[in-house]
Amino acid sequence: MSHFRWFLSIFILSALGAHASAQQLPVRLQPVGMSTAHYEDSHRRNWGNTGNRPLNVRVWYPAVANAKETPWEDGIYEAGTNARDAAMAASPGKLPLILLSHGTGGAASGLGWLGETLAANGYIVAAVNHHGNTRAEPTSMLQGTLIWWDRPRDLSVLIENLLTDPPLRAAH
């Protein structure tokens, strides 16, 4: 067998194995809910100077016990398994909040693997798409990539909004 055929055989078997394992729902003690939110920073303009700076967010959280989790896709890839917009599980105390920031050109949805794992273990996890530097927007903008020091402000504004968002306010 040539090296090419051997490599191709291994590649196909690996791909089939990865696809089969991706189809199995994760075993969790706590179902995970996911919701999306849109906030705006009224103190900063968007890079096109046509309005406020947008903050599009994904939030993962412990969901009620009977929440039905289903796989979800983001574009062309499988992004995770959760109960979309499920009710948040009751908690005897406040839940810790973890913020996630994607890398250059990334997106909040690409952090679903981490957000879901943390939420299944009792955390509220929020990830923001950094305006101008995310594949979640139709175009990236040079300012979004070069002015990296705007990212911490995105996270601060996200915290401010999450603390006033009725479903999340009581949980953290």
Side-chain angles (χ1 to χ4, degrees):
M1 182 185 278
S2 72
H3 290 291
F4 175 74
R5 284 186 183 158
W6 179 83
F7 175 77
L8 185 60
S9 298
I10 297 298
F11 176 77
I12 290 171
L13 289 173
S14 297
L16 289 174
H19 180 72
S21 65
Q23 297 301 316
Q24 298 172 5
L25 294 178
V27 177
R28 297 181 174 142
L29 297 177
Q30 175 75 53
V32 171
M34 182 190 71
S35 64
T36 57
H38 174 79
Y39 304 116
E40 291 185 357
D41 183 351
S42 61
H43 300 292
R44 292 182 295 165
R45 303 291 288 167
N46 65 29
W47 294 121
N49 200 29
T50 59
N52 294 334
R53 183 179 176 94
L55 294 171
N56 293 309
V57 179
R58 289 209 184 258
V59 180
W60 296 272
Y61 51 89
V64 293
N66 64 348
K68 183 178 180 340
E69 294 180 310
T70 57
W72 64 287
E73 295 179 357
D74 182 31
I76 61 171
Y77 69 91
E78 293 176 8
T81 304
N82 57 62
R84 178 77 185 216
D85 295 322
M88 189 176 295
S91 174
K94 300 214 179 252
L95 298 176
L97 173 64
I98 295 177
L99 302 180
L100 301 178
S101 175
H102 63 76
T104 297
S109 59
L111 297 168
W113 64 274
L114 180 56
E116 289 179 2
T117 300
L118 292 167
N121 286 283
Y123 295 89
I124 296 173
V125 183
V128 64
N129 288 315
H130 295 289
H131 174 57
N133 187 4
T134 174
R135 66 175 168 74
E137 294 177 340
T139 59
S140 61
M141 302 189 81
L142 187 58
Q143 304 95 314
T145 301
L146 295 178
I147 304 175
W148 53 266
W149 52 86
D150 252 4
R151 287 172 163 248
R153 180 69 187 143
D154 287 346
L155 298 176
S156 295
V157 172
L158 175 58
I159 292 171
E160 292 167 7
N161 280 281
L162 290 174
L163 290 175
T164 60
D165 196 310
L168 298 172
R169 180 177 54 221
H172 57 275

